[in-house]
Amino acid sequence: MSFHKSNSRTPLAPTEYTKIPTVTAGYDNEKHNGSRSNNASVNQTKFIRPEMADVPVQQAAGSTLPLVISKKKGGGADDSDDVNYNPFEHRKVEHPTSDLETFVHLLKGSLGSGILAMPMAFLNAGLWFGLVATFLVGTLCTYCVHILVKCAHILCRRRKIPMMGFADVAEQAFLDGPVGLQRWSRFIRFVVNTFLVIDLIGCCCIYLVFVGTNVKQVVDFYMEDSETDIGIRLWIVIITVPLIFMCLVRNLKFLTPFSMVANLLMFVGIIITCTYLFSDTPATTERVGVADVAQWPLFFGTVIFALEGIGVVMSLENDMRNPTHFIGCPSVLNLGMGVVITLYTFVGFFGYLKYGSETAGSITLNLPVEDKLAQSVKLMIAIAIFFTFTLQFYVPMSIIWKGIQHKIAPEKQNWSEYALRVGLVVLCGAIAVALPNLGPFISLIGAVCLSTLGMIVPSIIELAVYHEDPGYGRFNWRLWKNVFLICFGIIGFVTGTYVSILEFHAEFSH
């Protein structure tokens, strides 16, 4: 079957409906070397820019990372003129990962600072409601990742593209959807990238607050007799200064050793923290089983912040030796997220059971500050998060720079990039100084960004992709399912944002 067979069709009459996509691609078996065209026609080979992904896969998790297609049920002949096209045959991965390696990477990428905020989530949900709701929200987050990856598979088959980024999938889905959506294709790309940047910048701000709060606790213990009292805002400023210089490093490979140290310190810190949770644990009857409904939005925002890893899983799938094992049942994603959800629920349940109404924004803040081992845990995890900041910062910086680089004269690009890096770190520090409260901050980022990227956008993408072919199924079940997910995401967005703002207002008023 010829590669150009699908393009050798008779031009349609002016009165017939023709889609003219702007994100389409032809692919050479020998090399991936295309160029973008906004005047694509059904009678010519279609191309796209060389880098489909907005951020290369090897940079960091949480960005607009490449998606690679696989043969999945639901695609087939309905999704491509050439059912024999297998993009995996055109993809070259220098060091592909096995299923077990991908599973381990998924655990490592998901078990971050979010797990330390889970006891606070249970504080806002109640012991038993939090137990059930965490599993339900985690299941919805995992399912929405399935939706996004499956739609990417279908779109890649239709356009004969070996990989697509998150923003590319959203844009192409709108181009393949109803006529009314096509004019919004560039806008949805902008929305996805904007929310990714806001989310990641917000995470960087949370990291600054986290590090500053833990360091302040330990230092204050040894300076309690001193007249010098360094406030949390000043600590954030002190921590921001060295990060300005660290974030000037443009090559990610120089930051790899810091990542290894951060992973080790975080792992040891969480293990030691868990040992504190099982000493003198009170009875479950001493804790609130179901919290007040007004607190639930804070729970939702915190849990989705902790569990949502839509960028991480895409990059992992792209590097797999057998990508078809990533989604499905059973699959690497299901098993990995099952373990992650269980661990998060475990820490949240026993953390709240241990500390009750005294539960802090990070469980490390509840550890006895006079205990030497607890002090080491606070400092270990603070150092781990400090080093993680540089990696997290790398992604929004890359997205923003790629968006404005072409507008800057070549001779000015070098110092302009450094100025942007300094400006972004200073911005993160300024936001953290203005909002030095972990609880509402985490909930706000989860509600605003991750409910949008993790639930609303994937559901809209599926509605657009399945609009004409293969359709919404019997009784339009796909339509109603996605309407539910979108409404759930919107409710979480609105209520989580509103309650978080009220929390901030109350703090400033006090």
Side-chain angles (χ1 to χ4, degrees):
M1 182 174 291
S2 171
F3 177 82
H4 297 289
K5 182 175 181 179
S6 62
N7 293 327
S8 60
R9 57 183 69 168
T10 304
L12 299 175
T15 56
E16 294 180 308
Y17 169 68
T18 307
K19 292 182 179 178
I20 305 180
T22 58
V23 183
T24 53
Y27 194 82
D28 191 327
N29 290 345
E30 298 299 327
K31 61 181 179 179
H32 185 190
N33 188 18
S35 61
R36 182 152 188 150
S37 174
N38 289 326
N39 299 315
S41 169
V42 294
N43 294 315
Q44 66 184 105
T45 305
K46 306 178 184 70
F47 295 97
I48 195 170
R49 60 190 181 281
E51 296 180 1
M52 287 294 300
D54 294 307
V55 178
V57 64
Q58 58 267 41
Q59 288 191 355
S63 62
T64 309
L65 296 170
L67 287 170
V68 182
I69 75 168
S70 62
K71 294 179 180 178
K72 300 295 296 178
K73 293 180 181 180
D78 293 329
D79 300 314
S80 177
D81 294 323
D82 187 355
V83 296
N84 295 320
Y85 177 75
N86 181 8
F88 289 129
E89 296 175 356
H90 306 297
R91 183 170 61 130
K92 296 179 181 180
V93 179
E94 186 175 356
H95 300 291
T97 57
S98 65
D99 291 358
L100 179 59
E101 290 171 330
T102 304
F103 176 81
V104 173
H105 289 323
L106 178 60
L107 294 183
K108 185 178 71 173
S110 300
L111 295 176
S113 60
I115 193 172
L116 303 173
M118 285 305 299
M120 180 189 63
F122 273 67
L123 171 65
N124 291 309
L127 196 63
W128 302 115
F129 178 73
L131 183 66
V132 175
T134 300
F135 275 102
L136 291 178
V137 174
T139 301
L140 285 179
C141 290
T142 305
Y143 178 70
C144 288
V145 173
H146 275 270
I147 290 177
L148 182 63
V149 176
K150 186 177 179 64
C151 288
H153 293 167
I154 294 174
L155 292 171
C156 286
R157 272 195 291 267
R158 287 177 181 174
R159 302 302 171 188
K160 298 184 176 65
I161 303 172
M163 63 179 61
M164 297 176 72
F166 192 172
D168 296 308
V169 174
E171 183 179 10
Q172 184 64 70
F174 271 46
L175 290 168
D176 278 21
V179 179
L181 284 183
Q182 293 176 26
R183 69 182 65 182
W184 299 100
S185 60
R186 296 298 298 176
F187 177 73
I188 192 64
R189 166 183 285 277
F190 171 79
V191 168
V192 169
N193 282 329
T194 299
F195 274 99
L196 279 170
V197 170
I198 294 175
D199 168 40
L200 296 166
I201 291 293
C203 288
C204 289
C205 299
I206 290 171
Y207 287 176
L208 287 174
V209 176
F210 181 93
V211 175
T213 306
N214 280 271
V215 172
K216 173 177 166 55
Q217 251 199 1
V218 176
V219 174
D220 284 352
F221 174 75
Y222 289 101
M223 297 181 63
E224 59 182 355
D225 296 329
S226 172
E227 296 181 359
T228 303
D229 183 18
I230 302 178
I232 179 59
R233 287 180 167 87
L234 182 55
W235 272 115
I236 293 174
V237 172
I238 294 173
I239 292 166
T240 302
V241 173
L243 285 173
I244 292 176
F245 296 97
M246 291 185 66
C247 289
L248 293 178
V249 178
R250 294 190 290 186
N251 195 326
L252 191 66
K253 71 178 181 179
F254 296 125
L255 300 176
T256 302
F258 297 105
S259 176
M260 296 174 62
V261 173
N263 290 332
L264 178 62
L265 292 176
M266 178 65 75
F267 176 76
V268 174
I270 291 177
I271 293 298
I272 297 176
T273 299
C274 288
T275 63
Y276 280 93
L277 302 184
F278 293 106
S279 61
D280 301 324
T281 304
T284 56
T285 53
E286 297 183 28
R287 301 293 177 244
V288 177
V290 180
D292 188 88
V293 177
Q295 296 178 261
W296 289 4
L298 289 174
F299 163 80
F300 172 82
T302 304
V303 170
I304 198 172
F305 171 85
L307 289 174
E308 189 59 71
I310 203 163
V312 179
V313 295
M314 292 178 182
S315 65
L316 293 177
E317 186 229 22
N318 191 49
D319 279 340
M320 287 185 69
R321 180 177 294 114
N322 299 303
T324 53
H325 296 174
F326 189 71
I327 61 174
C329 190
S331 65
V332 173
L333 176 61
N334 286 345
L335 293 176
M337 288 304 296
V339 172
V340 169
I341 293 169
T342 301
L343 289 175
Y344 274 54
T345 306
F346 176 86
V347 173
F349 183 90
F350 286 101
Y352 174 59
L353 180 62
K354 170 71 174 178
Y355 297 109
S357 60
E358 301 299 320
T359 301
S362 169
I363 191 62
T364 58
L365 299 177
N366 286 113
L367 302 183
V369 69
E370 68 279 359
D371 193 326
K372 300 290 185 182
L373 184 60
Q375 292 174 9
S376 68
V377 171
K378 295 173 189 287
L379 294 178
M380 279 193 295
I381 296 183
I383 293 171
I385 297 300
F386 179 86
F387 287 151
T388 305
F389 180 98
T390 57
L391 297 173
Q392 188 83 351
F393 174 84
Y394 202 89
V395 181
M397 173 62 206
S398 297
I399 296 176
I400 295 173
W401 180 245
K402 290 187 71 173
I404 66 174
Q405 184 178 12
H406 65 281
K407 300 179 181 179
I408 302 174
E411 64 274 10
K412 297 180 180 179
Q413 288 189 0
N414 195 44
W415 67 264
S416 296
E417 182 179 354
Y418 282 122
L420 178 61
R421 287 175 176 273
V422 173
L424 284 179
V425 177
V426 172
L427 175 64
C428 291
I431 295 174
V433 167
L435 307 172
N437 190 332
L438 273 175
F441 207 156
I442 290 174
S443 178
L444 180 64
I445 295 299
V448 172
C449 300
L450 295 175
S451 61
T452 303
L453 295 176
M455 291 187 178
I456 298 174
V457 172
S459 301
I460 295 175
I461 286 175
E462 187 179 43
L463 289 175
V465 170
Y466 281 78
H467 171 64
E468 290 183 348
D469 193 2
Y472 295 149
R474 178 174 294 184
F475 305 118
N476 288 327
W477 69 271
R478 285 193 183 93
L479 172 63
W480 300 116
K481 173 203 68 175
N482 285 301
V483 167
F484 165 76
L485 290 174
I486 292 171
C487 290
F488 185 80
I490 292 175
I491 292 173
F493 179 103
V494 174
T495 59
T497 302
Y498 177 71
V499 173
S500 298
I501 292 175
L502 289 182
E503 291 279 321
F504 282 125
H505 181 266
E507 178 185 351
F508 285 121
S509 298
H510 177 73

